[in-house]
Amino acid sequence: MAYVIGVDVGGTFTDAVLSDEAGTIVAAKAPSTPPDYSEGVLDVLAVLAGQLGRPVADMLADTHHVAHGTTSSLNALVTGHVPPVGFITTRGHRDSIYIMNVEGRYLGRSPEELQNVLVQGKSHGLIPRRHAWEITERLDRDGTVVVELNEDEARTAIASLLEDGVAAIAVSLLWSFRNPAHERRIRELVAEADPDVFVSLSSEVSPRIREFARSATTIMSTQIGPGLRDYLGGRKALDAERSAAAIRTRIAGPLGLSVEDAAAAIYAIQNAQTGDLLRKAVVEAGHDPREFVLYAFGGAGPAHCAAYAAEVGVREVVVPLGPVASAFSAYGLAASDIVLAAELSDPSAFPMDPVRVEKNFAHLEAQVRDALDRQGVRFGQVDLAREVDMRYSMQLAELATPVSEGPIDAAELGATAARFEQRYAELFGAGSGFREAGIQAITYRVRATGALRFSPGLPEVARASGPDPSHARTGTRPVRLGTGSFTDTAIYDYSKLQAGHVIAGPAVVEVPTTTVVVPGGMSGTVDPLGNLIIITNQESAR
Amino acid sequence: MSMPVPGSEAFSSRPVDPQALAASLPASLPVHTVTREQIDALDPLTYEVIRHRLWSVTEEMGEALKRMSGSPIVTDANDFDFAIGDELGQEVQVGLYNTMLVGAVDLAIYWTLANRAENPGIGEGDMFLCNDPWVGGGLHQNDALVYQPIFCEGKLFAWTSALCHEPDLGGMGLGSFSPAAQDVFSESVPTPPVKVVRDFQLQRDVADLWVRRSRVPMLVGLDLRAQVGANNVGRERLLAVIARYGADTVKAVMKRMMSDAEHRLRAKLSSLPDGTWNATGYQDQSHEGDRSLHKITLAMTKCEDHLTFDFTGTDPQAGVINCTYAGMRGGVMLALLPILAGDIPWSAGGLMRCFDLIAEEGTINNATFPAAVSRGPIGPAWLTGTLVAECLSQMLDRSVDLGRSVQASCCGTWDTAVIAGLDERGPRPLPFLNIMMEPMAGGYGARPHVDGMDTGGLFCIPMGRIPDTEMSEFLYPMLVLWRREEPDSGGPGRQRGGVSASLAVTPRGTSLPIGLVLASAGKAVAQNNGLSGGYPGNTGVEILARGTDLGGMLAAGTMPADLATIGGQQELGQNYSQTYLAPGEVMYMHWQGGGGYGDPLRRDPQAVAADLREGKVTAEAAAVIYGVVTGAGGDVDGGATGQARDRLRRQRRDRAVLDGPAPAGQVDPAAGHRLDDNLVRVLDAGHPVVACAHCGQRLGDPRTGATLALASYEGPSAAAGPQVTSDPAAYVDDPVVFRQYCCPACWTAVYSGIVPAGHADHVRDIGRLIPAVSRPADAARA
């Protein structure tokens, strides 16, 4: 019997899910144990083994692989609990990470904050200037060496950084993604000085054009690379009285509304803004939100999801509530195929040189295959997909455009350009394209999908005899959603629902970890896995 | 100067009475509107939801334009803007990109309604194109506006518009900027509103007419389609909101947004004391070859809930540094929006009801046809905004609460370099033309409680950005030797102005010289003034290094990081010039940082030490401007710092001129009412007098004189510090001086400026601090 185990280390709990070829699924939880999270991992493995009725050692001996994920890196970056790192870049360009293309002042702010220019401030740079060194070297846009790497300067910078006690060094040189030789040489020089120091190269972390984002990504990667630090966590109880008081004094009073009206307004505005953000995120990535199913998880999401899904035009919402839903990140780790991507910026104008394109893809394919091999997992099948980000000449944004398998020739590149133009017209309206301006290919990408040799199924829940969920209904209470008045609304106990039950909105489903709202005019169906599928009706979303 | 052109008056658009405009429309163009009752009946929830929706419509138009545009000015610098207007074009929601355009977009729509409704008509599926700065829409011809009427059930419901700066629309100069132009006939042709889309079809004849004038017709053609596409997005999204909530509800929200903004601004104005504040600023040079100064002067009067901006006394139109009425109005908006309306939604149609403009015709910020206006937005309109900001800051600085919006001047212009040439890096040579975008990384002015933002951008483009160096090098055949923040470029002050950056580039990948047009200001007279004794930020400077051995240096493994290493013959770039940059040569640009706030001798020495560590100031400035001495390891030497500051105060005393003895008597400044960082108003037997906030020295009494008894000093502009990077005599004939006023007792600087010797300032006017006529409410507050 071969097991796959997924372990997700969170701030509060460490979740684990074990699956096997026979379809067995076992989920377990144990408290996380900061600062040494490995204890929590061992604890949860012991719980899993206990559920299997086997010793831990035996279970692990039969385990094919353990997939591990954690939010601690993100937490470390957000809270700034990262070790000091050094940064080495091209002479004349250190300040890129402080100038932040100017937009560091406002990115990610709300409309109200955006227009309140006078209260804005740039965030501090990721690292203090004394840890950011410039060294003499230069490449041009083709990767040609303009100025040779000055190794003495590099050694001086490295020695000074190490003397200052940095835990790791990030290296990001201009155009290094076109020619990584200088970055690699600097890594060798660091190793000569101290072989134990962690080094990240921008040409490996994020080999794409636009140095600010590439440098920032490399620095952050370096900050979390050497080790994980402690992070925040914990649970907070909701105090209804104090919530009402906060709404009364901060919102309801100034607006001349009742607390209930203000709360309803908060709910509706939250839904509208989430909907707008979601639409923007989806549209800006080049997708049509109407083609998506919305997956709503977490503690608060299911209270809002049906309303904002309808705002965005999403017809179907899945609220994961099945037996392993509370450990679904761990399940995902245990059940997922492994997908790796490699990309390479090589800007050129259409028609691109087929030999060069072929070479780019060959390089990327070798890179992702190698990376998959390093996972140490025996895959059932490995699929590779190619794409290239294209745009009309000098556009800022590119559209990811699929490229067919097989040899690259002028005909295939022509077909790729045609696919780009077709997708562009779909997004911005017929006639909005302008081929006369020229087309450029910027970034090449290969995604490799390593399929697991078995795919763990999910356990099904008991099947109901009919759609009527009355026996799970615990009663009614007045509930108000949006502009309407309080309406007597059915309340359901999730633990009593079975597959096939259909809940007509307005209704509230109470789950230990969340509360699901099914607005009036919509319906929710329990699927065989125990998830609640809400079909939205856009007219009744408000 | 050309003679006036009869017939050109018909193209001068001005704000209109909306009722009169609506009444003038033909029966063939019914408009949709709502009643007062419908507006009042809106529930707050629906209002907020739809208001946020309208915001997101302008945002999506912006994203669509950026994705589609072919011009780095749009895609990488965000020099564009959007507006949603009501049925008459009054601006309901504006984008947060180039805010000067807010003052111009509605003017074009008013004009279109007045002049196009009968013939050729305004119908569903139409879009208009306009780049006539007298009609409005944009501030100079490079600003191209594409705007569309949106109909609902056969009635004109609203307008959307998308404006962007085009890299070149013809005329004598590269980038449509001719530094030697004497009138608009040397520039790009101003095109009044033409129907570029009719019945949802782009009109090929009009589109061809449009792109044919340009040196880069492909880019202009792509941008035109991008603007049409952005309007398509706006229309689709707005109609979806209407379909969802109903036309009347949406329109009621639009009207309410404008009236809410208006009422909130009026309430804020009412809470401030009435008075009149003055500011005067300059453009060094009006065109290529000119060596004179040209001033804009402003008297801003606040009376109850209304502002009047009176520009009477501004110099006559000259050279290329002129803007139309739209530019003057846009300049006012660039300052008013963030300073007075940062916390009020930018429903500009409502906000613009709160002020009047007074300006003589034929002046540099209210130019008449056929003045050359290509420098309009970045010259006189921008300066107009800087002066408005200066007056607003004086008004607000006495308020503890609203004083949070006080800000010294930011970078005062767009340091322009148009480049054009042949890119020989690809399989076949390709021409290129564009504007260097890096000068977007200007410094912000300091504020009473915080330093100015370093490379925070330009105040008039809240969401501006600069391209990555790799994008600049990918697009153009050049190598960027450096792009870095420049120490000392932020104006010294108790709070330091934000530093600006500099750029050094050399051609690479072309065998031909790159054509270059330079245009800037603030190289002799400072445009980035400080406040309350804070010093101006750096003067701008461009240097062309010719005859260098750059190729040899690079090959030998040297990457020069300063002008001294680059060597060769170094030419100072004039404000306006047409020149070239040949292979092997280097162009250095250093644009403006922000002004400082308060006296730098009162800056926390620890903050100066931190600035030294982070490269924001040099050791020289720390010593001679801030009087801060650091020891080994960069720590402040407290004793030596105290001595250095005493020495600098004695230097101020030794060089100062006093008109007469300082008024006798000390007051307790703690009992006073704040006027700014250094001055307080105290009551002397029931009468208000002005005193030094630091030492209590009495400085002025309106009963005995109209001026403050301040010690004054005038010296060479370089006396302001190392931020003065060149001799003003290199640019203008008028003498330019560093002028400083200090308290004659404690020698705190209350004003520090780099101005023409003949500059009439109002620093010592008691009237700006204690208005002759106070309202009873003010007297009670004092």
Side-chain angles (χ1 to χ4, degrees):
Chain A
M1 185 62 66
Y3 301 125
V4 172
I5 298 175
V7 179
D8 174 40
V9 179
T12 315
F13 286 110
T14 298
D15 296 336
V17 167
L18 174 146
S19 62
D20 67 22
E21 290 168 16
T24 308
I25 292 271
V26 181
K29 260 185 194 305
S32 292
T33 54
D36 180 2
Y37 289 92
S38 60
E39 285 177 36
V41 173
L42 293 174
D43 291 346
V44 84
L45 292 176
V47 179
L48 271 186
Q51 294 190 19
L52 288 175
R54 302 187 66 190
V56 174
D58 290 2
M59 175 183 80
L60 290 176
D62 285 344
T63 297
H64 180 257
H65 70 273
V66 177
H68 173 256
T70 179
T71 55
S72 65
S73 298
L74 182 62
N75 288 345
L77 283 175
V78 169
T79 58
H81 290 155
V82 292
V85 305
F87 178 59
I88 294 177
T89 190
T90 303
R91 180 158 305 286
H93 298 275
R94 174 199 63 176
D95 285 358
S96 165
I97 58 171
Y98 305 105
I99 296 173
M100 303 175 189
N101 290 346
V102 172
E103 65 190 351
R105 172 167 58 74
Y106 59 81
L107 278 184
R109 293 178 186 263
S110 70
E112 282 81 2
E113 293 170 324
L114 278 172
Q115 68 161 55
N116 211 348
V117 177
L118 289 176
V119 304
Q120 295 170 6
K122 274 188 192 172
S123 60
H124 290 289
L126 287 165
I127 47 178
R129 269 181 168 80
R130 69 177 192 280
H131 289 164
W133 281 74
E134 291 181 346
I135 51 158
T136 295
E137 71 84 37
R138 193 63 152 91
L139 307 172
D140 70 9
R141 71 162 191 176
D142 299 318
T144 308
V145 175
V146 180
V147 177
E148 291 292 346
L149 173 66
N150 185 323
E151 299 195 357
D152 288 341
E153 282 185 15
R155 285 193 186 91
T156 304
I158 292 163
S160 169
L161 287 170
L162 295 179
E163 197 178 302
D164 254 16
V166 304
I169 295 177
V171 186
S172 180
L173 308 178
L174 286 184
W175 299 110
S176 60
F177 61 95
R178 300 302 310 273
N179 175 358
H182 288 177
E183 285 193 353
R184 289 179 183 171
R185 180 60 188 146
I186 291 170
R187 178 163 58 194
E188 289 171 7
L189 295 174
V190 175
E192 283 174 15
D194 182 346
D196 295 331
V197 169
F198 182 91
V199 179
S200 279
L201 305 185
S202 79
S203 52
E204 293 175 358
V205 171
S206 177
R208 22 188 337 162
I209 190 167
R210 293 194 177 94
E211 73 277 3
F212 169 53
R214 189 172 75 244
S215 299
T217 305
T218 307
I219 290 170
M220 287 191 279
S221 160
T222 312
Q223 287 171 328
I224 59 176
L228 305 175
R229 290 283 176 101
D230 54 331
Y231 48 97
L232 303 172
R235 296 201 153 193
K236 289 192 172 65
L238 182 70
D239 183 328
E241 273 310 304
R242 292 176 68 187
S243 303
I247 291 172
R248 186 178 304 114
T249 54
R250 304 295 294 269
I251 296 163
L255 283 175
L257 296 170
S258 69
V259 170
E260 290 75 16
D261 282 352
I266 292 169
Y267 179 74
I269 290 168
Q270 174 66 45
N271 291 344
Q273 288 194 334
T274 307
D276 285 338
L277 285 173
L278 184 62
R279 180 190 300 105
K280 277 183 61 178
V282 173
V283 170
E284 285 172 22
H287 300 296
D288 183 339
R290 288 168 295 195
E291 296 171 0
F292 286 75
V293 169
L294 193 130
Y295 192 68
F297 54 91
H304 297 273
C305 60
Y308 69 71
E311 295 263 1
V312 174
V314 170
R315 205 181 147 267
E316 185 176 327
V317 180
V318 175
V319 183
L321 298 174
V324 294
S326 69
F328 77 87
S329 292
Y331 171 75
L333 288 165
S336 294
D337 293 342
I338 292 180
V339 180
L340 295 172
E343 58 185 27
L344 168 71
S345 257
D346 180 21
S348 66
F350 180 85
M352 297 86 81
D353 173 7
V355 176
R356 187 157 148 183
V357 174
E358 178 110 35
K359 201 174 134 206
N360 286 344
F361 281 126
H363 170 75
L364 291 170
E365 286 169 4
Q367 201 179 326
V368 289
R369 281 188 187 281
D370 187 46
L372 273 184
D373 286 349
R374 285 202 303 271
Q375 302 289 317
V377 173
R378 282 169 294 138
F379 295 105
Q381 188 186 333
V382 173
D383 289 319
L384 300 184
R386 302 163 164 180
E387 60 188 33
V388 58
D389 294 344
M390 302 186 87
R391 64 186 191 188
Y392 292 108
S393 284
M394 290 192 282
Q395 285 182 322
L396 173 73
E398 295 101 34
L399 269 185
T401 307
V403 178
S404 303
E405 284 179 67
I408 301 287
D409 55 18
E412 172 53 28
L413 292 180
T416 304
R419 280 193 287 273
F420 158 72
E421 294 214 82
Q422 186 189 341
R423 187 84 185 117
Y424 188 91
E426 285 167 9
L427 284 170
F428 301 113
S432 56
F434 192 45
R435 187 162 197 160
E436 296 91 323
I439 293 175
Q440 294 172 332
I442 306 296
T443 299
Y444 295 81
R445 190 178 302 106
V446 171
R447 293 181 199 282
T449 305
L452 297 183
R453 285 163 61 240
F454 61 92
S455 178
L458 278 166
E460 300 203 347
V461 297
R463 173 126 203 112
S465 54
D468 181 3
S470 300
H471 85 277
R473 183 165 156 158
T474 57
T476 65
R477 66 167 185 257
V479 171
R480 179 173 164 192
L481 300 170
T483 48
S485 53
F486 279 95
T487 308
D488 266 351
T489 301
I491 310 296
Y492 292 91
D493 175 357
Y494 175 76
S495 67
K496 299 201 174 89
L497 286 171
Q498 294 177 328
H501 279 150
V502 177
I503 294 165
V508 172
V509 181
E510 293 182 337
V511 191
T513 51
T514 187
T515 302
V516 188
V517 169
V518 183
M522 302 189 190
S523 66
T525 305
V526 180
D527 78 0
L529 299 176
N531 302 312
L532 191 65
I533 312 292
I534 302 174
I535 303 299
T536 67
N537 174 338
Q538 293 183 49
E539 292 311 306
S540 59
R542 278 166 59 207
Chain B
M1 178 56 55
S2 304
M3 296 296 288
V5 175
S8 63
E9 319 79 49
F11 297 94
S12 284
S13 185
R14 291 289 184 275
V16 292
D17 171 27
Q19 260 97 42
L21 179 61
S24 75
L25 296 175
S28 57
L29 184 59
V31 296
H32 174 275
T33 191
V34 287
T35 62
R36 183 80 248 164
E37 290 70 36
Q38 285 173 295
I39 298 169
D40 293 342
L42 274 174
D43 72 274
L45 165 60
T46 306
Y47 175 65
E48 285 301 320
V49 169
I50 296 177
R51 188 169 77 76
H52 280 91
R53 280 300 159 83
L54 294 178
W55 156 261
S56 93
V57 174
T58 60
E59 272 287 281
E60 284 189 35
M61 291 176 71
E63 289 304 322
L65 185 67
K66 283 180 72 140
R67 288 188 72 99
M68 289 186 277
S69 169
S71 162
I73 300 167
V74 171
T75 59
D76 278 58
N78 291 1
D79 184 2
F80 53 73
D81 214 1
F82 308 89
I84 299 173
D86 70 2
E87 70 280 3
L88 298 175
Q90 302 181 90
E91 289 163 87
V92 171
Q93 177 70 57
V94 299
L96 304 185
Y97 300 96
N98 187 334
T99 51
M100 279 192 279
L101 301 170
V102 169
V105 169
D106 59 334
L107 295 175
I109 300 176
Y110 304 150
W111 195 94
T112 303
L113 283 165
N115 293 278
R116 295 288 185 262
E118 298 269 12
N119 177 359
I122 298 172
E124 182 148 30
D126 289 347
M127 288 190 203
F128 290 88
L129 168 70
C130 172
N131 79 326
D132 184 330
W134 279 274
V135 169
L139 272 57
H140 55 170
Q141 298 93 312
N142 290 71
D143 293 336
L145 183 75
V146 174
Y147 53 114
Q148 71 174 340
I150 291 175
F151 286 79
C152 186
E153 292 169 356
K155 289 181 176 174
L156 176 57
F157 182 85
W159 294 80
T160 62
S161 50
L163 189 146
C164 53
H165 181 115
E166 289 303 319
D168 184 282
L169 289 169
M172 279 173 59
L174 295 174
S176 303
F177 183 71
S178 173
Q182 287 296 297
D183 59 36
V184 75
F185 300 111
S186 303
E187 300 182 332
S188 170
V189 183
T191 304
V194 290
K195 207 180 269 193
V196 67
V197 174
R198 185 186 296 262
D199 194 20
F200 302 104
Q201 290 290 315
L202 184 70
Q203 302 296 292
R204 288 293 294 272
D205 51 354
V206 179
D208 285 351
L209 187 82
W210 177 241
V211 304
R212 184 74 173 120
R213 70 189 69 191
S214 175
R215 291 174 178 83
V216 284
M218 291 296 201
L219 276 181
V220 173
L222 182 55
D223 268 7
L224 175 62
R225 284 159 179 81
Q227 288 175 285
V228 168
N231 274 293
N232 283 339
V233 168
R235 179 176 186 273
E236 197 176 296
R237 291 279 283 118
L238 191 60
L239 288 178
V241 180
I242 293 170
R244 178 74 169 288
Y245 296 95
D248 288 357
T249 303
V250 175
K251 180 57 66 66
V253 169
M254 293 167 78
K255 299 284 187 189
R256 168 92 164 264
M257 285 170 68
M258 291 190 284
S259 63
D260 272 5
E262 176 188 353
H263 291 133
R264 289 174 65 180
L265 179 53
R266 287 192 189 283
K268 190 180 278 192
L269 290 171
S270 296
S271 74
L272 290 158
D274 287 351
T276 296
W277 295 270
N278 297 81
T280 300
Y282 302 84
Q283 301 280 301
D284 316 330
Q285 306 184 353
S286 66
H287 63 280
E288 191 170 30
D290 181 43
R291 287 183 51 83
S292 48
L293 291 166
H294 305 264
K295 74 167 185 290
I296 297 179
T297 188
L298 166 64
M300 180 188 88
T301 298
K302 198 232 78 167
C303 183
E304 297 182 349
D305 64 357
H306 194 80
L307 286 166
T308 302
F309 299 101
D310 185 346
F311 295 96
T312 303
T314 295
D315 281 348
Q317 58 197 45
V320 298
I321 55 162
N322 311 298
C323 68
T324 65
Y325 182 91
M328 172 173 58
R329 193 159 169 258
V332 169
M333 290 307 282
L334 100 77
L336 185 140
L337 285 170
I339 293 177
L340 281 183
D343 55 355
I344 300 173
W346 287 2
S347 292
L351 297 172
M352 288 194 284
R353 295 169 193 156
C354 302
F355 64 79
D356 288 314
L357 301 178
I358 298 173
E360 297 158 285
E361 294 283 336
T363 51
I364 61 175
N365 69 347
N366 187 23
T368 48
F369 195 87
V373 293
S374 54
R375 187 72 187 162
I378 37 198
W382 198 309
L383 179 57
T384 297
T386 302
L387 299 177
V388 169
E390 197 175 321
C391 286
L392 291 174
S393 286
Q394 291 182 63
M395 174 175 79
L396 295 169
D397 209 357
R398 63 190 59 193
S399 159
V400 173
D401 180 26
L402 297 173
R404 284 194 296 249
S405 296
V406 167
Q407 181 177 253
S409 299
C410 300
C411 174
T413 193
W414 176 277
D415 202 5
T416 309
V418 185
I419 52 169
L422 200 63
D423 182 351
E424 296 170 322
R425 296 173 298 175
R428 59 182 191 282
L430 286 172
F432 69 92
L433 184 154
N434 225 303
I435 299 175
M436 298 303 296
M437 290 295 146
E438 284 77 3
M440 181 76 80
Y444 267 49
R447 294 167 44 220
H449 308 292
V450 290
D451 291 343
M453 270 180 278
D454 299 321
T455 53
L458 300 176
F459 197 43
C460 59
I461 309 189
M463 287 169 67
R465 72 187 294 280
I466 60 171
D468 291 86
T469 291
E470 285 172 352
M471 284 308 289
S472 294
E473 292 185 351
F474 172 65
L475 293 170
Y476 311 118
M478 54 175 49
L479 195 73
V480 178
L481 301 180
W482 71 75
R483 190 176 88 180
R484 64 178 177 224
E485 291 189 342
E486 283 290 343
D488 296 342
S489 55
R494 183 176 62 73
Q495 301 293 349
R496 176 179 55 74
V499 302
S500 57
S502 74
L503 173 79
V505 296
T506 187
R508 180 179 174 85
T510 182
S511 60
L512 302 173
I514 293 175
L516 191 60
V517 173
L518 296 178
S520 192
K523 293 183 173 181
V525 176
Q527 296 187 306
N528 42 5
N529 298 314
L531 275 178
S532 286
Y535 290 37
N538 65 303
T539 51
V541 64
E542 265 73 58
I543 290 170
L544 296 169
R546 309 202 192 272
T548 73
D549 181 32
L550 186 67
M553 274 185 259
L554 299 178
T558 301
M559 174 54 79
D562 54 58
L563 287 166
T565 310
I566 289 168
Q569 297 83 50
Q570 301 195 352
E571 293 173 13
L572 211 50
Q574 288 298 310
N575 289 5
Y576 297 98
S577 64
Q578 304 181 76
T579 178
Y580 62 88
L581 185 70
E585 300 181 338
V586 175
M587 173 173 68
Y588 167 79
M589 304 177 75
H590 181 197
W591 45 94
Q592 300 170 23
Y597 184 92
D599 186 345
L601 291 184
R602 292 186 171 275
R603 181 163 177 77
D604 177 1
Q606 300 297 341
V608 177
D611 282 349
L612 265 171
R613 280 195 297 275
E614 288 295 297
K616 308 292 186 181
V617 299
T618 59
E620 181 198 354
V624 304
I625 305 295
Y626 291 99
V628 170
V629 181
T630 54
D635 294 331
V636 173
D637 180 334
T641 294
Q643 286 167 15
R645 289 185 160 183
D646 285 344
R647 198 163 52 245
L648 288 168
R649 288 191 187 96
R650 280 198 301 277
Q651 185 190 78
R652 287 179 178 176
R653 185 191 66 197
D654 294 345
R655 72 189 187 187
V657 175
L658 279 162
D659 289 342
Q666 299 282 123
V667 299
D668 174 13
H673 179 99
R674 176 189 168 90
L675 292 169
D676 67 16
D677 211 38
N678 306 306
L679 302 177
V680 288
R681 176 176 55 181
V682 290
L683 287 180
D684 175 20
H687 293 280
V689 299
V690 178
C692 175
H694 310 294
C695 69
Q697 168 69 42
R698 283 174 65 132
L699 296 172
D701 183 340
R703 291 167 296 177
T704 57
T707 58
L708 298 177
L710 294 170
S712 64
Y713 164 72
E714 268 190 18
S717 68
Q723 75 273 30
V724 176
T725 48
S726 48
D727 180 357
Y731 306 100
V732 295
D733 292 331
D734 295 286
V736 174
V737 298
F738 173 57
R739 182 182 293 175
Q740 189 167 57
Y741 295 113
C742 295
C743 168
C746 69
W747 299 96
T748 297
V750 304
Y751 169 82
S752 311
I754 297 171
V755 294
H759 172 69
D761 65 57
H762 296 267
V763 177
R764 291 181 293 181
D765 293 358
I766 293 182
R768 78 183 174 95
L769 303 165
I770 301 175
V773 182
S774 297
R775 284 186 295 156
D778 295 338
R781 266 200 290 274

